[in-house]
Amino acid sequence: MRRVVVIGGGIAGLAAAWAAHAAAGRVRGGLDVLVLERADDVGGKARTILRDGWLVEAGPTGFLSGRTEMDRLVTGAGLASEVVTANPAAAHRFIYHGGRMRRVAANPIGLVRSGLLSGRGALRLLADMVVPRRRGGGDESIWDFAARRLGAEAADRLIAPMTLGVFAGDARRLSLVASFPQMAALEHDHGSLIRGLLARRGKMRSGTMTSFAGGMQELPRALATRGGFRVSCRSAVDGIARMQSGWEIRVGHAGATITADAIILALDSAPAAALLREHSPALAADLEAIPSPPVGVVALGYGPEARERIPNGFGVLIARGEGFRMLGNLWDSHLFPGRCPDGHVLIRAMYGGGVDPAAAMLPPGELAALARAEVARLYGIDAAPCFEQVVQWPRAIPQYELGHSARIARIDEATVALPGVFITGSALHGIAFPAAVAHGVQTGERVVEWLSVRTVDPHR
Ligand SMILES: Cc1cc2nc3c(=O)[nH]c(=O)nc-3n(C[C@H](O)[C@H](O)[C@H](O)COP(=O)(O)OP(=O)(O)OC[C@H]3O[C@@H](n4cnc5c(N)ncnc54)[C@H](O)[C@@H]3O)c2cc1C
């Protein structure tokens, strides 16, 4: 029997294990799939905290529907009946700028009406329809791209907050093509973002915000119990050694070892680099160079009196320079049912990221006090919160900085030189939850393909 060991029980690792197990029939003699997870529980960033009738997502709020691998995984985990879709008002997104909360529509006319841009700024945004496409010139930052196509005002007031919302990242440092490939494709294919959006109207499925009745951690937990593969928690891997055939994996400090024909590293880039350094210093250096700044999440619960103070929608992103340290808020109680006691309000305030990493790692009491004060000021809520939960991620969301695509090409090439080693996870090919699932599933299938060819001809 062959064995594949997946290191990391976040969603990417579990998706890879599930796909490898599902395709195991193709490996002659059978395939044993084992996931090793350092923490007490599976899920990684997908962590759901249940306390006193409140449901707090420490990590992802949900995922956008419409990705095939995600649908297959949810069905495979037996969770189709647990899927919940967000209140339609989740389509209402807000940006705080100029001392006001402004609802931002996803079309140019609505955008102009929102008052987010000055008259001049709005005209400059519409000039996107005539600005010629860029030819050549290498990697471009999100901010430079937005300023070139839509003007500096739209880059600052619209695209930079949007980058905070997705990456908790700095639009001036992130690569457009690696971070928002669809935006780069609109310019490439249509010569203009607005013309591209109009041409694709009705054809582009933006997906619906989706979660599970018991929160996002339901999926990793269901996979771990019903996925058909083995999972071992409290099993931190601290070394891998190359054998004549396959790999030896060292687990924990007790010196236990496990052998495997193939390993899948489904880790954040820093621990992946640590395991690979002695086998490929160049690969490790490239992995290590992918930054992942901290994010602090403060969940605050309020009584019914706060309900009318919060607009009906998904949440608000706060433009820099408005006198707030928080990057934005998510209005969880408006999104999915069952997130808090009846009639109450649950808000999550996000801090840190690439623009203000120090805020995320303030002492927890200080971070909570800052969130309470900023939320009270933003909405004019006088009452003290009746619920509070602080979560701090020292490494939260990978940043696809300028040069990311070239770095990934080098990582892929260097990984091929280590037979039986495969790498997945959100540091490389997409930071969203469905992207981690898709790459995980594809990686699990690639491993089985690689093993089935080697079973026929062990010298390949
Ligand atoms: C605050 C926040 C909000 C987010 N919001 C959204 C959202 O709304 N929508 C969305 O689509 N995405 C969101 N994301 C992104 C999403 O959470 C990630 O894309 C996804 O969860 C990443 O999964 P992963 O398996 O790649 O990594 P991880 O979840 O980080 O999993 C890696 C696992 O490896 C384990 N590990 C590490 N070292 C070792 C070792 N040596 N041995 C064994 N195990 C080890 C870790 O304990 C962890 O469980 C958010 C992320 C954060 C942090």
Side-chain angles (χ1 to χ4, degrees):
M1 194 182 233
R2 299 296 178 122
R3 178 180 295 138
V4 53
V5 168
V6 180
I7 308 175
I11 196 60
L14 294 164
W18 176 81
H21 174 74
R26 291 171 49 205
V27 180
R28 199 186 297 163
L31 182 65
D32 175 32
V33 181
L34 170 65
V35 177
L36 300 173
E37 166 55 49
R38 180 180 59 185
D40 294 347
D41 200 354
V42 291
K45 304 278 163 38
R47 193 197 316 159
T48 306
I49 300 166
L50 289 165
R51 185 159 66 81
D52 304 331
W54 300 79
L55 187 160
V56 174
E57 294 292 9
T61 308
F63 58 93
L64 288 176
S65 63
R67 198 139 187 177
T68 315
E69 292 90 347
M70 192 74 214
D71 293 345
R72 278 175 55 204
L73 194 69
V74 170
T75 308
L79 277 191
S81 61
E82 287 292 292
V83 166
V84 287
T85 50
N87 172 354
H92 303 169
R93 313 277 170 128
F94 294 77
I95 290 180
Y96 184 87
H97 178 268
R100 273 187 52 198
M101 194 120 39
R102 299 165 194 278
R103 187 170 147 198
V104 180
N107 63 72
I109 305 296
L111 195 61
V112 168
R113 284 212 189 118
S114 72
L116 182 67
L117 302 176
S118 66
R120 219 183 141 98
L123 277 177
R124 176 60 189 84
L125 177 128
L126 295 174
D128 162 72
M129 296 176 76
V130 294
V131 170
R133 39 159 100 69
R134 176 174 181 252
R135 295 189 193 280
D139 211 355
E140 188 178 28
S141 78
I142 296 172
W143 194 92
D144 284 343
F145 169 84
R148 180 169 60 73
R149 292 234 56 91
L150 308 171
E153 201 178 284
D156 283 334
R157 297 184 190 179
L158 176 67
I159 304 297
M162 206 176 102
T163 310
L164 288 180
V166 180
F167 283 85
D170 182 348
R172 291 180 186 267
R173 295 218 303 267
L174 301 192
S175 152
L176 176 84
V177 77
S179 309
F180 293 132
Q182 310 88 326
M183 241 194 243
L186 284 177
E187 177 179 55
H188 178 268
D189 298 346
H190 301 275
S192 145
L193 296 182
I194 298 176
R195 281 194 278 121
L197 286 173
L198 291 174
R200 293 191 190 178
R201 202 169 36 181
K203 292 179 215 144
M204 252 169 54
R205 284 186 311 150
S206 54
T208 307
M209 185 47 85
T210 307
S211 180
F212 303 99
M216 289 295 284
Q217 204 172 352
E218 260 204 79
L219 180 60
R221 283 183 176 152
L223 287 167
T225 49
R226 299 202 282 267
F229 49 86
R230 294 190 294 142
V231 177
S232 176
C233 287
R234 289 176 290 279
S235 299
V237 172
D238 60 13
I240 57 172
R242 199 163 170 174
M243 314 286 286
Q244 205 170 9
S245 162
W247 292 82
E248 187 177 77
I249 296 139
R250 210 170 50 243
V251 186
H253 300 296
T257 56
I258 297 168
T259 54
D261 298 280
I263 52 180
I264 299 176
L265 298 168
L267 306 163
D268 177 19
S269 52
L275 292 179
L276 290 170
R277 190 164 299 116
E278 67 180 275
H279 306 290
S280 175
L283 169 57
D286 265 323
L287 282 167
E288 216 154 37
I290 301 170
S292 197
V295 164
V297 182
V298 184
L300 297 173
Y302 295 89
E305 66 281 0
R307 234 186 140 78
E308 66 191 33
R309 316 281 331 165
I310 316 290
N312 197 13
F314 184 79
V316 60
L317 292 164
I318 302 183
R320 298 298 82 192
E322 292 289 322
F324 286 91
R325 274 189 98 172
M326 59 187 177
L327 308 177
N329 293 166
L330 288 150
W331 303 322
D332 293 273
S333 44
H334 293 12
L335 292 182
F336 297 113
R339 303 285 141 142
C340 58
D342 270 356
H344 286 60
V345 173
L346 177 61
I347 298 174
R348 265 180 305 152
M350 317 301 266
Y351 286 89
V355 290
D356 186 12
M361 298 316 277
L362 286 170
E366 246 177 77
L367 183 59
L370 178 63
R372 281 196 303 270
E374 292 200 327
V375 165
R377 181 151 59 94
L378 184 65
Y379 304 102
I381 299 177
D382 299 325
C386 53
F387 173 87
E388 204 170 280
Q389 175 80 47
V390 177
V391 179
Q392 291 171 295
W393 298 104
R395 290 178 59 87
I397 301 183
Q399 305 290 297
Y400 296 176
E401 292 195 337
L402 288 168
H404 184 82
S405 304
R407 177 169 290 134
I408 295 308
R410 288 197 300 274
I411 288 173
D412 286 346
E413 203 176 312
T415 311
V416 174
L418 297 174
V421 173
F422 296 80
I423 305 180
T424 188
S426 62
L428 307 184
H429 297 279
I431 61 131
F433 192 86
V437 164
H439 196 262
V441 167
Q442 288 154 15
T443 306
E445 288 170 348
R446 269 180 37 232
V447 171
V448 169
E449 175 68 34
W450 184 83
L451 282 171
S452 57
V453 171
R454 277 171 58 94
T455 312
V456 176
D457 176 2
H459 301 293
R460 282 183 68 174

